[in-house]
Amino acid sequence: MKASKHAELGAFLRSRRERIRPEEVGLVRGPRRRVPGLRRDEVAQLAGASVDYYNELERGAGSQPSEQMLAALARALRLTADERDHLYHLADRPLPVQGGPASHVHPGMLDLLTRLTSTPAQVITDLHVTLVQNPLAVALLGDHSHFHGQEASFIHRWFTDPAARSIYPEQDHPAHSRAFAADLRAAAARRNARDTEARTMIDDLLARSPEFTELWSDHEVAVRRNDRKRIIHPELGVLDVNCLNLLSEDGRQRLLWFTPAIGTDSASKLDLLTVLTTEQFTPHKS
């Protein structure tokens, strides 16, 4: 990156930071706040970056930010699609492929996710690529941010990686397989005929998974909206939850959140999950 672009990137980040009120991103406005918008340390926290690293970016110094960091900053600063693209241009990075893990999150979905602080929630694409998770979703489902390419899709991992299925009891696997195949068929049909992302994934699954091939030949179609699931947590055991979906207008993204199933002990387990998450994200004093 040229020094001039480093400086412009820093100025752009600072201008976007100063326009956001803390409560808009789920933070509490303290009585001694001296800045009109977010503090640098708050942006760093929201983006999962170190404070020193973010300070360097705003000063127009430091190394070229990665595409993953740019995506995190775009979400932390609630950038519009045009602003997100501008951020990538300033950083001399190619624009992310639509539908991948760095896709621009629907602003309404991101706003709702920010407000869901007491229940696991995440935003995914119609191909089940996780775009952003709140801390409780990470604690319940695992961190999905390290998956890339086709592996970023949970549907793809479900049919190609046996380890992906460990989150659900084995006796539930056939039902999930049918639901994933039916949901994928609905998603592929909604997309433009020139959109190759879904078609490429389907072709790969047909070549690699006999189970998927058999299910695909049944031509079942159904969008997953509301499910009751059993999720295996390594510390809390099996949780019975309702998985609720809110779809964007174009159907390309959905907000998922999980609530305890009535008549089970999952409410108390989710309370314990909150405690575990608080302990995980609270710095320990030496």
Side-chain angles (χ1 to χ4, degrees):
M1 285 176 62
K2 295 181 180 179
S4 59
K5 278 201 169 183
H6 266 299
E8 192 172 350
L9 174 65
F12 181 65
L13 290 173
R14 183 167 57 254
S15 70
R16 301 305 88 184
R17 170 174 61 83
E18 291 176 347
R19 71 176 180 174
I20 300 176
R21 295 178 298 176
E23 54 269 23
E24 292 175 338
V25 292
L27 298 175
V28 177
R29 177 185 290 273
R32 298 182 179 180
R33 180 172 293 271
R34 298 177 180 177
V35 296
L38 296 180
R39 299 192 301 264
R40 292 186 181 91
D41 64 299
E42 291 171 333
V43 176
Q45 175 189 347
L46 291 170
S50 71
V51 177
D52 289 341
Y53 177 76
Y54 182 76
N55 286 341
E56 288 291 305
L57 287 180
E58 276 208 10
R59 284 199 293 265
S63 59
Q64 180 186 28
S66 67
E67 294 173 40
Q68 183 179 8
M69 177 53 61
L70 292 172
L73 288 171
R75 291 165 189 165
L77 295 170
R78 299 299 192 266
L79 300 188
T80 66
D82 290 337
E83 289 171 335
R84 189 281 309 263
D85 291 353
H86 183 61
L87 180 67
Y88 275 77
H89 291 317
L90 291 177
D92 284 335
R93 293 290 188 184
L95 295 181
V97 177
Q98 180 62 29
S103 292
H104 184 67
V105 182
H106 188 287
M109 298 287 188
L110 194 55
D111 181 61
L112 285 173
L113 180 71
T114 300
R115 299 172 188 275
L116 292 172
T117 58
S118 61
T119 190
Q122 59 186 23
V123 178
I124 68 172
T125 72
D126 56 344
L127 300 185
H128 291 245
V129 173
T130 301
L131 301 179
V132 60
Q133 299 173 283
N134 69 7
L136 284 173
V138 173
L140 178 64
L141 306 171
D143 185 358
H144 294 174
S145 63
H146 61 280
F147 293 109
H148 302 285
Q150 291 192 359
E151 288 187 355
S153 166
F154 186 71
I155 292 181
H156 189 274
R157 297 200 304 276
W158 179 263
F159 289 106
T160 60
D161 180 5
R165 301 192 174 202
S166 62
I167 193 172
Y168 297 128
E170 186 174 356
Q171 54 267 43
D172 297 349
H173 291 181
H176 286 299
S177 294
R178 288 193 300 271
F180 281 135
D183 191 77
L184 178 56
R185 185 175 289 279
R190 282 196 306 269
R191 292 190 169 212
N192 189 294
R194 292 172 293 179
D195 188 329
T196 61
E197 183 187 12
R199 186 69 256 171
T200 299
M201 190 171 84
I202 292 167
D203 289 343
D204 187 68
L205 290 177
L206 289 172
R208 298 177 58 181
S209 172
E211 179 191 21
F212 178 79
T213 300
E214 181 178 353
L215 291 168
W216 196 250
S217 67
D218 291 336
H219 290 268
E220 292 186 7
V221 56
V223 178
R224 298 191 82 162
R225 291 185 173 89
N226 301 305
D227 288 333
R228 177 163 171 170
K229 299 180 177 181
R230 295 190 299 163
I231 295 176
I232 302 174
H233 188 272
E235 296 181 60
L236 303 178
V238 177
L239 288 82
D240 288 88
V241 296
N242 300 308
C243 178
L244 307 171
N245 292 244
L246 177 64
L247 276 68
S248 61
E249 291 181 1
D250 61 3
R252 294 288 291 266
Q253 293 185 14
R254 62 186 74 173
L255 172 68
L256 309 181
W257 71 100
F258 301 84
T259 62
I262 295 176
T264 72
D265 63 351
S266 293
S268 59
K269 289 182 177 179
L270 284 177
D271 288 339
L272 288 173
L273 187 69
T274 303
V275 174
L276 292 174
T277 305
T278 301
E279 293 175 349
Q280 177 183 353
F281 285 89
T282 299
H284 294 285
K285 297 181 180 179
S286 56

